[in-house]
Amino acid sequence: MFVGHVGVLVALCRLAQGLPSPRWEVPPDPHVAKIFASPQAIANCPGYAASNVVTTDNSITADLTLAGTACNAYSDDIHDLKLLVEYQTDDRLHVHVYDAGLNVFQVQEEILPRPKNEGAKSSSAQLEFDFVEKPFSFSVKRKENGEVLFDTTGTQIVFETQYVRLRTKLPLDPNVYGLGEHSDPFRLPTFNYTRTMWNSESPFIPTNDNLYGSHPVYFEHRGDKGTHGVFLLSSSGMQININRSDTDGQWLEYNTIGGTLDLYFLAGKKAADVSRQYADVVGYSPMYPYWAFGFQQCKYGYWDVNMVAEVVANYSTADIPLEVMWTDIDHMNLRQDFTLDPERFPLAKMRELVTTLHQRDQRYVLILDPGIHRVGNYSTYVRGHEKEVFLKNEDGSDSWAVQWAGIVSWPDWFAPNTQSWWTDEFNRFFNADTGVDIDGVWVDMNEASNFCHTPKCDENELEGNPPPPTNSPRPNTGRPIPGFPGDFQPTPSSRNSIKARNSKPLSSRQFANGTKKGLQNRDWFNPKYNINNHRGNLSDFTIYTNYTNYDGTRQYDTHNFYGHMMAHTTHSSMLSRRPTKRPLVVTRSTFAGTGRKVTHWFGDNASIWDHYRASIRQMLSFVSMHQMPLVGSDVCGFNQDTDEYLCARWAMLGAFQPFYRNHAEISAIFQEFYRWDLTAAAARKAIAARYQLMDYAYTALYRQTTTGAPMINPLFFLYPGDPATFAIQHQWFYGDALLVSPVTTDYSDTVTFYLPDATFYDFWTHARIEGQAQNVTRTNVSYTDIPLHIRGGAILPMRVESANTTTALRKKDFSILVAPGRDGMAQGSLYLDDGESIEQGGVSDVQFSFDGTKFEAKGEFGYEGKNGESVTVSEIVFLGLKSGSYNGTAGQVVKKGAWKLTGGFTVEV
Ligand SMILES: *[C@@H]1O[C@H](CO)[C@@H](O)[C@H](O)[C@H]1NC(C)=O
Ligand SMILES: *[C@@H]1O[C@H](CO)[C@@H](O)[C@H](O)[C@H]1NC(C)=O
Ligand SMILES: *[C@@H]1O[C@H](CO)[C@@H](O)[C@H](O)[C@H]1NC(C)=O
Ligand SMILES: *[C@@H]1O[C@H](CO)[C@@H](O)[C@H](O)[C@H]1NC(C)=O
Ligand SMILES: *[C@@H]1O[C@H](CO)[C@@H](O)[C@H](O)[C@H]1NC(C)=O
Ligand SMILES: *[C@@H]1O[C@H](CO)[C@@H](O)[C@H](O)[C@H]1NC(C)=O
Ligand SMILES: *[C@@H]1O[C@H](CO)[C@@H](O)[C@H](O)[C@H]1NC(C)=O
Ligand SMILES: *[C@@H]1O[C@H](CO)[C@@H](O)[C@H](O)[C@H]1NC(C)=O
């Protein structure tokens, strides 16, 4: 969360005026004159000439030499480069242009392990690499149909110490997606569009600006001619421009302030194939616990542990299933990680809270921030200081910045002791026997967000920043909290005073030439190419870019994966607490490959309809293109006050997104679903449907973790030849069979949505509706309704009814819903395991099929259920069978029985 009052006010004013995006007022730095190269200077750049070209069956290498007088447009041209082209697999081509001296920064293998070069033959590969020696340019073509996917001719490559440019031509008005994190249209604008990548705290998720994460991968869709992907493996700050002009046509241009041109071309040719091929490069998502699909509640501003319990109890009373309760920084003592406020969140009471939640089959999640309060009586800091885990100032003292606790030091995730220190803190504080036995953890503020504006930050700048937490306990209500022990009483105590502590000298830092650790002597703060970071200069409001990491690299190059490292380190620490269970770690800041271990929520949105809509497009890109499946936005909105209508719609929308958490900011009104009758009714209905569909969603997640096929499908993924689907960003497929078409107009009860040319069935009424590749308008869509359609041809495994917890849900029998397509046939699958273990005993992976008369279940049947869980199908519902009567349930045939999912079976209709 964010409480920079000035920033919030600026943003609020902007919103009120309808201005596109907040810009923070950054004091100009008198010592740095910004110099921008003129278009002429860039136009005069000489490019490179290829020589010593060596071509083999599966690779091309060459030397690239500056082909004329250096233009030094934004920094110094690098004279000698190398080209490496690898046909790594039949569908993946790797093209790398890098400095011959290997000094330029390259993302460390430990951050992004490179995919294996399987040595495919160029003759059998789907893509073809061609190049021109002088001036050097290259193109990538899809062999099958001759489509030129990437073509750098006409614009010279510029490769300087602090500026790298590569431009490709594209077809006019192309269908380009991805390049997160942003809140821009799903199908990206193709004229005058800029995408900045520089991870930053971004309250109100402004459009056309850099947000919390960097994923330099795009998908380009060319209808029946196929979909391909291009990934630039780079953590450098950058601006990607998509534009066109009469003279130059359409293009996409990378402008980075460092790094190499490390490109992966992914052939597709189906969109879901590109998803898989991207997972092959950056990694596949892990499985998450089954309970992570449960409904979750959080708020910054739950005053004390009693109030947390009250919220849980009030959800029960309102008969709204709550699976996971969260607490924001409220629980901390003086906003310090791994501490509890002794008066408002005393340890004994917190342990009682967690025990009670666990007895009720509910879960608990707490928050961590990266900034470690730099004071001598704070043992987490002291232990970290002694183990030298922090980024260091020039004089060897621990780094200095401002975050929630006040003056903080930044962990250096590269330092050798940082992981063990962090894990040790976990084991102390989150100890199951003596501490807070959390089930999941979220890491916030890890872009990292620094309340200090500039590297010249001093204590005066603390003014206007968040006040230290006040400690007065909330008066005891004197009421018992249903379902909780009777002793929830605040216990006042006094605080320790805070003293500063001296620092140890700087430990030695590694640096050697030729190790890809980054060129020395660059301008760490204001490279001349301006990437238009919306927070100002590179170091504003974050970790100063001149800090050296333990391995000798600079924050200038590694900034964009600081949050990624914190999240992955946290994942290991969670694993050490519960080595056999799948961890749930949710991070605000991300980088390409972060999804290998952890997941993401979309940060500090606002309680406005536009952000309700934005949650759809953000989800679409992250799940299908960035390989982060378990994502979602703060339901009902984080900043500002929501209202019962927006919150009711959002309760329903969020129920069909993977990660489903209601969360609000401290100054916003309370927005738990039970606060309004209308919202509560909407939530009850949506959660019931979500829970009945949970195994279907869990199966879709499992597919993504094993095949890369996304668990959320943009419409064009399933209807690639239908141009009407290419820009759709207000509808999606939950899994690959349930089309969600929410009302997206403010306070409206009408929705116009697109139905592709296929058979669909209304999820709620089971009525059949023939899609005609046209929009359909629905009126009178109440606030407790959301249009959902099952795609004909699908079989959905459901539970016969919902339950209050996922534990109870897993005891319900299955109801299989068969929705035949126009050919009368249908298919689906069900994956079952114990829902939480990393190593599974037996699992089931059941394939369902229906050929018009016979239903069949076959496959792997290894999961037998535990603790009373059901693996029984007690009904199979066939939709649309009786010809002619498609209304309501008239066409429906229900077969009752008891079929055990411990072996295959068939059912005749
Ligand atoms: C391009 O976008 C910039 C920034 O949004 C705007 O100032 C400029 O007017 C736009 N130019 C054109 C030609 O649309
Ligand atoms: C896009 O092209 C237009 C027309 O040539 C130009 O005015 C604008 O500055 C360009 N914008 C970017 C971001 O390149
Ligand atoms: C819980 O419900 C009670 C009774 O409606 C209400 O007075 C109280 O404010 C609620 N508390 C919270 C934290 O929701
Ligand atoms: C970073 O730059 C600032 C401003 O020039 C300077 O005060 C500081 O010592 C530098 N820090 C490091 C770690 O080099
Ligand atoms: C690294 O090599 C460059 C030239 O390649 C040289 O100028 C520089 O001094 C070297 N730096 C170190 C630390 O050896
Ligand atoms: C459906 O309606 C949207 C606007 O609501 C429009 O942009 C789109 O072109 C329409 N699609 C078709 C196929 O008519
Ligand atoms: C949740 O529990 C309540 C109280 O035991 C019960 O009335 C309700 O039916 C349960 N809800 C579901 C969905 O099982
Ligand atoms: C389906 O229902 C609609 C409205 O309820 C009605 O107008 C129509 O005649 C019905 N069609 C069939 C085939 O029953």
Side-chain angles (χ1 to χ4, degrees):
M1 84 299 297
F2 177 83
V3 177
H5 294 108
V6 174
V8 170
L9 283 177
V10 171
L12 284 171
C13 296
R14 294 257 161 194
L15 284 168
Q17 295 161 20
L19 293 177
S21 61
R23 300 254 167 209
W24 273 258
E25 262 60 62
V26 177
D29 185 339
H31 305 292
V32 180
K34 284 221 165 195
I35 304 164
F36 299 110
S38 68
Q40 286 74 21
I42 289 288
N44 292 337
C45 289
Y48 288 83
S51 60
N52 298 327
V53 178
V54 178
T55 304
T56 73
D57 269 1
N58 55 33
S59 71
I60 301 169
T61 56
D63 294 336
L64 300 177
T65 314
L66 200 63
T69 310
C71 62
N72 299 336
Y74 293 100
S75 52
D76 296 337
D77 288 21
I78 296 179
H79 195 269
D80 296 308
L81 305 178
K82 297 238 181 230
L83 169 71
L84 170 67
V85 179
E86 296 171 326
Y87 288 89
Q88 294 196 328
T89 69
D90 281 349
D91 49 32
R92 183 174 74 239
L93 174 75
H94 179 214
V95 177
H96 196 184
V97 175
Y98 56 97
D99 59 309
L102 290 175
N103 295 307
V104 171
F105 176 77
Q106 295 185 31
V107 176
Q108 294 89 332
E109 278 278 335
E110 67 184 281
I111 304 302
L112 191 46
R114 304 302 193 270
K116 196 165 158 274
N117 176 9
E118 290 169 22
K121 295 229 182 320
S122 60
S123 52
S124 64
Q126 293 179 39
L127 301 176
E128 179 180 305
F129 179 88
D130 294 299
F131 69 103
V132 175
E133 288 193 8
K134 190 175 176 189
F136 173 73
S137 69
F138 70 91
S139 64
V140 177
K141 192 160 73 183
R142 184 187 296 286
K143 267 192 225 158
E144 174 197 292
N145 56 14
E147 281 288 305
V148 178
L149 309 182
F150 204 86
D151 181 2
T152 75
T153 53
T155 320
Q156 305 310 341
I157 291 175
V158 181
F159 202 122
E160 303 184 337
T161 54
Q162 297 199 260
Y163 176 68
V164 178
R165 179 191 68 180
L166 182 73
R167 182 188 281 198
T168 176
K169 296 176 181 173
L170 290 179
L172 195 61
D173 198 19
N175 304 300
V176 179
Y177 311 83
L179 301 180
E181 181 174 16
H182 59 76
S183 58
D184 301 342
F186 175 54
R187 179 183 178 276
L188 297 172
T190 57
F191 176 65
N192 196 26
Y193 181 61
T194 59
R195 275 290 307 122
T196 297
M197 301 225 182
W198 190 252
N199 295 0
S200 76
E201 157 113 58
S202 302
F204 296 88
I205 57 167
T207 52
N208 298 315
D209 280 325
N210 47 310
L211 302 184
Y212 309 97
S214 292
H215 298 262
V217 58
Y218 72 82
F219 282 37
E220 195 205 325
H221 179 60
R222 299 191 183 175
D224 290 331
K225 293 175 184 157
T227 313
H228 64 276
V230 181
F231 172 47
L232 174 64
L233 199 172
S234 172
S235 58
S236 293
M238 68 179 83
Q239 180 169 302
I240 298 171
N241 296 338
I242 306 178
N243 207 357
R244 61 173 167 268
S245 72
D246 292 344
T247 43
D248 296 340
Q250 180 82 51
W251 74 83
L252 180 148
E253 183 179 270
Y254 298 97
N255 298 274
T256 75
I257 55 170
T260 61
L261 289 168
D262 196 359
L263 292 156
Y264 289 85
F265 294 92
L266 312 170
K269 115 179 209 198
K270 291 194 187 123
D273 296 334
V274 185
S275 303
R276 169 179 57 79
Q277 291 151 8
Y278 183 58
D280 288 340
V281 178
V282 300
Y284 286 74
S285 166
M287 263 317 263
Y288 287 98
Y290 187 90
W291 58 260
F293 282 99
F295 166 65
Q296 327 206 7
Q297 177 68 50
C298 189
K299 187 184 200 295
Y300 174 26
Y302 286 143
W303 196 258
D304 62 13
V305 61
N306 291 316
M307 192 172 198
V308 175
E310 260 187 69
V311 170
V312 175
N314 283 2
Y315 265 106
S316 287
T317 307
D319 203 10
I320 301 171
L322 173 68
E323 182 79 7
V324 190
M325 190 64 200
W326 294 50
T327 301
D328 206 310
I329 58 173
D330 302 289
H331 70 280
M332 293 179 185
N333 185 36
L334 299 172
R335 302 295 193 237
Q336 294 167 338
D337 281 351
F338 307 110
T339 67
L340 293 173
D341 183 310
E343 295 163 31
R344 298 183 296 127
F345 293 85
L347 177 62
K349 197 59 120 356
M350 284 294 273
R351 285 186 52 75
E352 227 176 334
L353 172 82
V354 176
T355 303
T356 309
L357 287 171
H358 288 171
Q359 281 163 356
R360 298 163 51 108
D361 296 323
Q362 291 169 309
R363 331 273 163 171
Y364 193 54
V365 173
L366 280 184
I367 189 171
L368 291 170
D369 296 317
I372 300 300
H373 201 186
R374 195 181 185 275
V375 287
N377 64 348
Y378 171 40
S379 50
T380 294
Y381 169 71
V382 172
R383 286 188 287 263
H385 174 77
E386 272 155 14
K387 290 182 171 177
E388 302 215 39
V389 305
F390 297 111
L391 290 172
K392 306 270 188 170
N393 294 321
E394 258 171 332
D395 65 0
S397 59
D398 292 334
S399 53
W400 205 91
V402 179
Q403 224 176 40
W404 291 108
I407 295 176
V408 299
S409 290
W410 302 117
D412 175 351
W413 307 106
F414 281 110
N417 296 328
T418 309
Q419 177 74 68
S420 62
W421 162 71
W422 196 245
T423 297
D424 180 49
E425 297 304 321
F426 263 70
N427 290 337
R428 288 167 190 271
F429 183 66
F430 297 127
N431 188 297
D433 300 320
T434 57
V436 187
D437 188 15
I438 49 166
D439 301 287
V441 69
W442 52 317
V443 291
D444 195 15
M445 309 289 288
N446 54 347
E447 294 71 29
S449 174
N450 183 354
F451 295 150
C452 256
H453 297 197
T454 70
K456 292 185 194 60
C457 176
D458 59 35
E459 260 170 285
N460 298 329
E461 285 207 47
L462 293 176
E463 280 175 343
N465 273 308
T470 55
N471 239 29
S472 33
R474 187 163 163 270
N476 179 22
T477 55
R479 289 181 283 106
I481 298 177
F484 283 81
D487 64 332
F488 273 54
Q489 304 284 327
T491 49
S493 72
S494 63
R495 292 192 172 289
N496 301 328
S497 62
I498 297 168
K499 286 204 197 81
R501 180 190 166 89
N502 293 329
S503 310
K504 280 191 184 176
L506 182 68
S507 68
S508 64
R509 299 294 192 196
Q510 311 160 23
F511 188 85
N513 265 351
T515 54
K516 310 171 193 173
K517 286 189 174 164
L519 296 161
Q520 300 290 53
N521 304 321
R522 285 174 287 166
D523 180 339
W524 309 117
F525 292 117
N526 291 294
K528 289 176 192 159
Y529 183 81
N530 181 5
I531 60 170
N532 290 310
N533 168 24
H534 82 109
R535 301 304 301 271
N537 295 328
L538 295 181
S539 286
D540 291 350
F541 298 100
T542 191
I543 301 174
Y544 310 145
T545 34
N546 60 340
Y547 275 119
T548 305
N549 302 310
Y550 185 86
D551 73 349
T553 57
R554 292 275 182 163
Q555 280 292 315
Y556 177 93
D557 294 312
T558 64
H559 168 90
N560 278 345
F561 56 74
Y562 186 84
H564 163 102
M565 289 191 84
M566 180 189 188
H568 279 210
T569 304
T570 300
H571 177 270
S572 298
S573 301
M574 284 296 280
L575 210 47
S576 92
R577 290 181 66 240
R578 292 183 179 175
T580 60
K581 303 261 179 80
R582 298 170 185 155
L584 175 68
V585 178
V586 183
T587 176
R588 193 170 74 182
S589 185
T590 61
F591 178 62
T594 297
R596 283 201 307 282
K597 292 184 176 165
V598 306
T599 189
H600 173 57
W601 92 101
F602 292 111
D604 296 351
N605 63 359
S607 299
I608 56 176
W609 288 92
D610 192 44
H611 288 176
Y612 161 88
R613 291 182 285 267
S615 77
I616 307 172
R617 48 191 199 258
Q618 293 196 296
M619 167 190 69
L620 285 172
S621 345
F622 264 74
V623 181
S624 69
M625 287 153 193
H626 302 331
Q627 284 297 348
M628 298 200 72
L630 196 72
V631 291
S633 299
D634 283 346
V635 167
C636 301
F638 177 74
N639 287 301
Q640 303 175 260
D641 292 347
T642 193
D643 64 56
E644 64 180 300
Y645 303 103
L646 173 59
C647 198
R649 286 270 185 248
W650 213 327
M652 301 206 89
L653 175 120
F656 302 97
Q657 300 192 336
F659 178 68
Y660 185 32
R661 183 187 71 161
N662 178 331
H663 182 33
E665 205 265 333
I666 189 165
S667 59
I669 57 169
F670 290 104
Q671 64 183 36
E672 296 77 20
F673 292 154
Y674 56 75
R675 299 276 173 181
W676 305 273
D677 289 346
L678 179 74
T679 313
R684 276 191 288 267
K685 179 174 173 182
I687 292 172
R690 175 186 179 86
Y691 278 32
Q692 285 192 269
L693 288 161
M694 199 170 284
D695 298 271
Y696 161 77
Y698 188 71
T699 300
L701 172 67
Y702 177 70
R703 296 282 172 251
Q704 181 152 8
T705 67
T706 50
T707 71
M711 71 163 291
I712 294 291
N713 280 276
L715 270 71
F716 86 81
F717 269 51
L718 300 188
Y719 301 94
D722 180 352
T725 63
F726 298 173
I728 290 179
Q729 59 177 356
H730 290 160
Q731 289 176 267
W732 69 99
F733 279 94
Y734 186 56
D736 63 2
L738 191 69
L739 178 61
V740 188
S741 311
V743 173
T744 50
T745 309
D746 310 13
Y747 303 106
S748 165
D749 64 359
T750 298
V751 55
T752 294
F753 56 86
Y754 185 72
L755 278 187
D757 184 12
T759 295
F760 289 89
Y761 300 85
D762 187 300
F763 175 81
W764 304 107
T765 67
H766 291 180
R768 182 164 168 164
I769 170 168
E770 283 304 320
Q772 296 179 327
Q774 277 173 11
N775 281 332
V776 174
T777 296
R778 283 267 298 273
T779 53
N780 300 317
V781 183
S782 75
Y783 281 92
T784 57
D785 196 11
I786 181 169
L788 295 179
H789 292 91
I790 305 160
R791 186 174 54 78
I795 298 178
L796 272 63
M798 295 177 62
R799 299 277 175 171
V800 286
E801 59 184 8
S802 179
N804 283 321
T805 63
T806 60
T807 306
L809 181 68
R810 290 169 67 90
K811 297 181 174 148
K812 309 281 183 186
D813 287 348
F814 287 92
S815 166
I816 309 291
L817 191 60
V818 181
R822 283 181 185 159
D823 60 3
M825 311 217 274
Q827 287 174 2
S829 69
L830 171 63
Y831 171 77
L832 290 174
D833 64 15
D834 76 6
E836 58 181 10
S837 301
I838 293 173
E839 294 296 330
Q840 291 287 336
V843 305
S844 294
D845 195 350
V846 187
Q847 310 302 316
F848 300 117
S849 61
F850 179 61
D851 67 4
T853 54
K854 190 178 76 180
F855 174 90
E856 184 172 17
K858 61 179 186 188
E860 185 185 350
F861 297 90
Y863 186 67
E864 292 172 358
K866 53 160 199 189
N867 307 327
E869 289 175 5
S870 172
V871 289
T872 300
V873 174
S874 62
E875 65 178 22
I876 306 176
V877 178
F878 297 89
L879 304 184
L881 277 199
K882 293 178 188 157
S883 57
S885 53
Y886 295 152
N887 271 7
T889 54
Q892 172 171 313
V893 172
V894 181
K895 292 277 179 186
K896 295 278 183 186
W899 299 278
K900 276 268 187 190
L901 288 167
T902 47
F905 61 89
T906 58
V907 178
E908 297 284 340
V909 188

